[in-house]
Amino acid sequence: MGVLNVTPDSFSDGGRYLDPDRALAHGLAMAGAGADVVDVGGESSRPGAGRVPEAEELRRVVPVVAALAPHVRVSVDTVKPAVAQAAVEAGATLVNDISGMLWPVAAACGVGWVAMHMQGAPRTMQVHPRYDDVVAEVHGFLVERARTALEAGVREVWLDPGIGFGKTPAHNLALLHHLSELVAEGHPVLVGTSRKGFLGRLAPTPTGPPGDVDDRLPGSLATATWAMLAGASMVRVHDVASTVEAAVLVGTTRLASGPLPRQQAMSG
Ligand code: HH2
């Protein structure tokens, strides 16, 4: 899943794709680089972000969804029912919902739904995240949401632990460590670690912790690869070409069982 933020203030690419033509070009480029889904969002959910009025979010998102949908599967990253519905009418077939509340919209529109876990709301979620048992609480919430959505008639339900959404670096690590247990619940799992702040704090370099989002590609690839090995069916990323390369290598390595033919082993 390639990230397409049609916003002025997203944490890593804010302002770059606010212009609809540039957004379309970037969406097509991500599809060309191997993204199966392009996730179009018109409201940043970075820590501290405020809300965008509905009319403004519609204005940002709908034309880009309409232009991209004939070329690649489009999801809409929104928490607003009206935006989700308008995006579906414009061609989106997946509602990526960080609030975990929009299953009735997905059911009514006959499209897929991503249920993500978030503690609190973006404006304050990183102030003091607290859990007794983060893995049990997040997994329990998601499995319950999946059950409710399936009962309501949603036919495609994805679960996402919501890395960075009301979570400390230790919470994020625990969720990644136990990801295979969420996968074992039997629903397809989506994970988004791309360029997130905890990557820099967890893997300091000899010159200090990488503070800038542009320094987070190694951490993004490492954690996307971890998620794939744990059984995640989709990763949400900004750097599509590098991640597709990692995914191909994971898949190829998984298939390469047994001893290599002698000639191939020698030529490397
Ligand atoms: N992360 C972000 C936004 N939407 N959706 C899902 N399902 N999972 C995630 O981990 C996730 C998400 C935050 O990343 P980004 O869109 O790049 O930033 P911003 O919210 O600032 O636009």
Side-chain angles (χ1 to χ4, degrees):
M1 174 185 273
V3 180
L4 183 53
N5 286 319
V6 193
T7 60
D9 57 345
S10 286
F11 78 92
S12 84
D13 54 2
R16 244 180 259 176
Y17 308 113
L18 199 50
D19 170 61
D21 290 335
R22 291 183 70 173
L24 174 61
H26 186 56
L28 293 176
M30 289 194 289
D36 293 318
V37 179
V38 172
D39 188 38
V40 180
E43 177 177 87
S44 171
S45 51
R46 73 186 189 288
R51 303 300 308 273
V52 173
E54 185 174 289
E56 174 62 14
E57 195 177 329
L58 284 166
R59 199 185 62 73
R60 292 178 187 173
V61 162
V62 172
V64 176
V65 170
L68 269 177
H71 306 285
V72 61
R73 185 173 194 197
V74 174
S75 61
V76 59
D77 185 352
T78 188
V79 297
K80 296 190 181 75
V83 175
Q85 194 175 328
V88 169
E89 283 160 15
T93 59
L94 188 60
V95 175
N96 176 24
D97 170 18
I98 65 164
S99 72
M101 298 289 289
L102 297 187
W103 74 91
V105 182
C109 295
V111 295
W113 178 57
V114 178
M116 200 198 77
H117 176 276
M118 169 166 60
Q119 187 179 76
R123 185 179 280 284
T124 53
M125 65 189 178
Q126 289 306 107
V127 174
H128 192 36
R130 278 185 77 97
Y131 301 84
D132 291 327
D133 179 339
V134 66
V135 175
E137 288 171 44
V138 170
H139 290 190
F141 168 85
L142 292 173
V143 169
E144 166 61 19
R145 284 296 144 114
R147 195 184 55 75
T148 306
L150 290 166
E151 276 174 15
V154 183
R155 283 199 300 269
E156 179 188 1
V157 178
W158 292 78
L159 302 183
D160 182 335
I163 299 297
F165 284 85
K167 281 131 192 148
T168 62
H171 293 143
N172 294 329
L173 272 189
L175 289 165
L176 288 172
H177 183 84
H178 291 278
L179 193 64
S180 59
E181 293 159 33
L182 182 60
V183 172
E185 295 288 347
H187 307 283
V189 167
L190 167 66
V191 179
T193 58
S194 184
R195 298 185 184 171
K196 288 185 178 171
F198 80 107
L199 297 173
R201 286 194 286 280
L202 288 172
T205 64
T207 52
D212 199 280
V213 285
D214 295 331
D215 296 327
R216 295 182 192 153
L217 180 59
S220 302
L221 287 173
T223 48
T225 302
W226 174 278
M228 291 181 229
L229 290 172
S233 300
M234 186 146 66
V235 286
R236 183 181 181 278
V237 303
H238 302 84
D239 301 285
V240 170
S242 318
T243 312
V244 167
E245 196 175 326
V248 168
L249 286 164
V250 168
T252 310
T253 309
R254 195 174 266 152
L255 290 175
S257 61
L260 283 178
R262 192 174 150 70
Q263 194 57 40
Q264 216 180 321
M266 285 171 61
S267 63

